[in-house]
């Protein structure tokens, strides 16, 4: 067992920023697993290599995902960290918890695990780090008896996540929380049993500000948007200063004009970046005809590098039971199941197969918004044009 002498880790405590080492040292006073975790981490810094080894599938009965196995390659030195599995727990929409729920979670984790947790990981789940193999099943039993469920891991639907939406934001163009809950309940099989080529992430953003970063982090983004004109309160506009420099000059489409008395917006040219609305929140409001834009294909840099999502459907009404959206998802999954390679995200698959072929397979008509930089390249061709020639 570690003697808690960690000179290399101690360096990480220096400086003005909070350090996870300080937290682990505090936790190690009551958690043997945290104490051995510190010791193994110190050894990794000394040896300049990780001491977590790959291999070994662990989980709970009936689930193919939700637990990420982690084993030490020096268990004789740090027996309490020999097994240090990660458990993902499905979070409530927009991360709304009661204090009672939080206490219930941490008390259960203290009973079965290391006490180390992460709220929240990039996937969105509550992340519990450091469970023994034997503790997984009783931990899950306690969680599920209190109506918690595991999140996704591996090649499955990862736990859908969303921004606060209409719960606290006036810009929300649809109910992100309701859609997230609906998709989570609808795709339970796909969430708990990996059978895709690779991971699939849903993220729901209520407006183009995209506070959940769906355009960069999710395979399937549902971003709230409006179809009609931005609403303008001309009297409220006059309460602001520096409108020309702060708003008009920074509009990416140069579609706003201010003559000192009246603000005019060329809504046909507006790309709905939200900059003007964010700067003039008392004077400008999103349009009244609300829905969502569907984007596809973002991912982190693993195989082909980082990739932002691209527009697939410029506008779709987003109301229960979301049949149009679910039909689109099913057609995309059918395509991915047939043409996707192992560990290939849907965005990479489309790049390899070609956008035109993808659209034909899922039965979607091409539109100019699907081009990554619309209005900047007039040379847009689709298959049917070649066929007509």
């Amino acid at each position: 067992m570690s003697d808690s002498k960690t000179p290399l880790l101690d360096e990480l405590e220096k400086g003005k920023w909070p350090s996870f080492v300080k937290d682990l040292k505090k936790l190690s006073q009551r958690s043997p697993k945290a104490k051995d975790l510190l010791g193994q981490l110190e050894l990794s810094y000394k040896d300049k290599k990780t001491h977590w080894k790959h291999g070994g599938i662990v989980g709970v009965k009936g689930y193919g995902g939700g637990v990420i196995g982690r084993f030490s390659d020096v268990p004789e030195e740090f027996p309490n960290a020999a097994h240090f599995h990660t458990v993902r727990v499905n979070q409530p929409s927009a991360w709304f918890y009661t204090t009672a729920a939080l206490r219930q979670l941490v008390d259960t984790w203290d009973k079965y695990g290391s006490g180390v947790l992460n709220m929240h990981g990039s996937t969105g789940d509550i992340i519990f780090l450091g469970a023994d193999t034997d503790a997984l099943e009783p931990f899950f039993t306690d969680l599920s008896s209190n109506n918690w469920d595991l999140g996704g891991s591996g090649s499955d639907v990862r736990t859908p996540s969303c921004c606060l939406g209409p719960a606290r934001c006036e810009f929300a163009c649809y109910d992100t929380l309701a859609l997230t809950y609906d998709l989570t309940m609808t795709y339970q099989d796909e969430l708990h049993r990996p059978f895709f080529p690779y991971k699939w992430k849903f993220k729901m953003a209520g407006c183009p500000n995209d506070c959940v970063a769906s355009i960069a982090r999710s395979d399937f983004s549902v971003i709230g948007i409006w179809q009609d004109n931005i609403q303008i309160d001309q009297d409220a506009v006059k309460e602001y200063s520096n409108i020309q420099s702060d708003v008009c000059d920074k509009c990416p489409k140069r579609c706003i004009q201010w003559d000192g008395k009246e603000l005019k917006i060329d809504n046909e040219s507006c790309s709905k970046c939200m900059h003007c609305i964010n700067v003039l929140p008392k004077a400008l409001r999103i349009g009244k005809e609300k829905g969502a834009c569907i984007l596809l294909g973002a991912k982190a840099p693993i195989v082909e590098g980082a990739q932002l999502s691209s527009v697939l459907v410029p506008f779709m009404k987003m109301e229960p039971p979301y049949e149009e959206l679910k039909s689109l998802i099913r057609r995309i999954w059918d395509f991915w199941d047939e043409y996707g390679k192992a560990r290939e995200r849907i965005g990479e698959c489309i790049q390899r197969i070609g956008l035109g072929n993808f659209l034909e397979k899922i039965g979607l008509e091409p539109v100019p918004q699907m081009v990554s930089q619309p209005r900047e390249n007039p040379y847009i061709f689709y298959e049917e044009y070649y066929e007509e020639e």
Side-chain angles (χ1 to χ4, degrees):
M1 181 179 293
S2 168
D3 59 3
S4 295
K5 293 181 179 179
T6 56
L8 297 175
L9 291 181
D10 291 348
E11 294 296 315
L12 299 178
E13 290 187 278
K14 299 177 181 177
K16 60 182 179 180
W17 305 109
S19 169
F20 71 95
V21 175
K22 182 178 181 180
D23 289 340
L24 282 178
K25 285 183 176 179
K26 183 178 180 180
L27 180 61
S28 68
Q29 295 174 9
R30 61 180 177 84
S31 169
K33 293 184 76 66
K35 186 174 183 179
D36 276 12
L37 174 65
L38 275 171
Q40 180 167 316
L41 187 58
E42 176 73 15
L43 182 63
S44 290
Y45 273 76
K46 180 182 177 181
D47 295 344
K48 298 181 179 180
K49 69 174 187 178
T50 181
H51 283 288
W52 297 119
K53 64 180 181 180
H54 294 288
I57 297 175
V58 291
V60 298
K61 292 179 181 178
Y63 285 64
V67 181
I68 299 99
R70 182 171 289 113
F71 297 91
S72 170
D73 68 359
V74 284
E76 64 286 351
E77 293 185 57
F78 308 104
N80 293 303
H83 301 180
F84 213 83
H85 309 313
T86 294
V87 184
R88 290 179 173 173
V89 175
N90 197 323
Q91 83 282 8
S93 291
W95 304 336
F96 281 110
Y97 297 91
T98 64
T99 53
L102 289 173
R103 289 194 181 97
Q104 184 183 74
L105 285 170
V106 296
D107 286 347
T108 307
W109 185 230
D110 278 345
K111 182 178 178 181
Y112 294 105
S114 69
V116 180
L117 56 84
N118 174 12
M119 297 182 76
H120 290 262
S122 58
T123 297
D125 308 275
I126 314 163
I127 308 291
F128 294 94
L129 301 119
D132 284 331
T133 302
D134 293 341
L136 290 174
E137 202 66 48
F139 177 54
F140 172 66
T141 300
D142 272 15
L143 285 176
S144 57
S145 65
N146 289 304
N147 297 319
W148 296 97
D149 198 0
L150 295 189
S153 69
S155 298
D156 62 9
V157 170
R158 300 299 179 83
T159 309
S161 65
C162 64
C163 69
L164 295 166
R168 294 190 65 188
C169 180
E170 59 189 319
F171 298 145
C173 295
Y174 71 97
D175 192 337
T176 55
L177 295 89
L179 177 59
T180 300
Y181 180 77
D182 190 295
L183 294 181
T184 303
M185 293 296 104
T186 301
Y187 299 123
Q188 286 289 293
D189 278 350
E190 288 82 359
L191 208 160
H192 292 141
R193 281 164 275 282
F195 44 52
F196 287 153
Y198 201 18
K199 65 181 77 169
W200 174 280
K201 294 182 179 180
F202 286 114
K203 290 192 187 299
M204 274 57 73
C207 76
N209 279 326
D210 194 13
C211 294
V212 73
S214 67
I215 199 169
R217 298 164 56 191
S218 68
D219 300 272
F220 194 87
S221 310
V222 184
I223 299 179
I225 204 168
W226 62 95
Q227 266 194 317
D228 53 350
N229 297 340
I230 294 174
Q231 304 176 71
I232 305 175
D233 183 338
Q234 297 291 352
D235 292 333
V237 172
K238 296 172 184 174
E239 297 178 16
Y240 290 91
S241 59
N242 302 323
I243 294 176
Q244 182 62 43
S245 60
D246 291 348
V247 181
C248 302
D249 293 347
K250 293 181 179 177
C251 173
K253 292 299 180 181
R254 297 291 190 268
C255 63
I256 302 179
Q257 293 182 339
W258 170 244
D259 61 7
K261 297 179 181 178
E262 184 180 18
L263 190 74
K264 294 181 180 178
I265 300 176
D266 176 8
N267 284 276
E268 290 294 322
S269 299
C270 174
S271 62
K272 298 178 174 59
C273 72
M274 293 280 290
H275 172 71
C276 60
I277 298 176
N278 291 332
V279 177
L280 308 175
K282 291 183 179 179
L284 301 182
R285 284 286 185 273
I286 60 177
K288 296 179 179 178
E289 192 175 344
K290 303 173 185 175
C293 178
I294 311 301
L295 297 95
L296 195 66
K299 67 177 206 53
I302 298 177
V303 179
E304 297 289 342
Q307 185 173 308
L308 295 177
S309 58
S310 300
V311 171
L312 184 66
V313 179
F315 185 83
M316 182 185 291
K317 296 293 287 185
M318 205 53 56
E319 297 171 347
Y322 312 108
E323 290 299 335
E324 184 180 2
L325 182 73
K326 292 173 183 174
S327 172
L328 176 65
I329 293 168
R330 179 51 61 190
R331 299 200 305 273
I332 295 172
W333 284 353
D334 286 345
F335 167 86
W336 195 30
D337 281 344
E338 184 171 357
Y339 296 100
K341 294 181 178 180
R343 297 185 70 79
E344 182 180 56
R345 301 284 283 271
I346 181 64
E348 296 168 318
C349 181
I350 294 170
Q351 282 187 333
R352 178 172 56 83
I353 301 292
L355 179 61
N357 293 323
F358 169 70
L359 295 176
E360 184 179 351
K361 291 293 183 183
I362 66 170
L364 205 62
E365 290 295 320
V367 294
Q369 290 91 337
M370 292 173 179
V371 181
S372 60
Q373 293 180 308
R375 302 180 192 181
E376 295 182 12
N377 182 355
Y379 301 103
I380 302 168
F381 301 99
Y382 295 107
E383 274 190 359
E384 56 265 36
Y385 298 149
Y386 291 111
E387 292 172 357
E388 288 174 3
E389 292 174 0

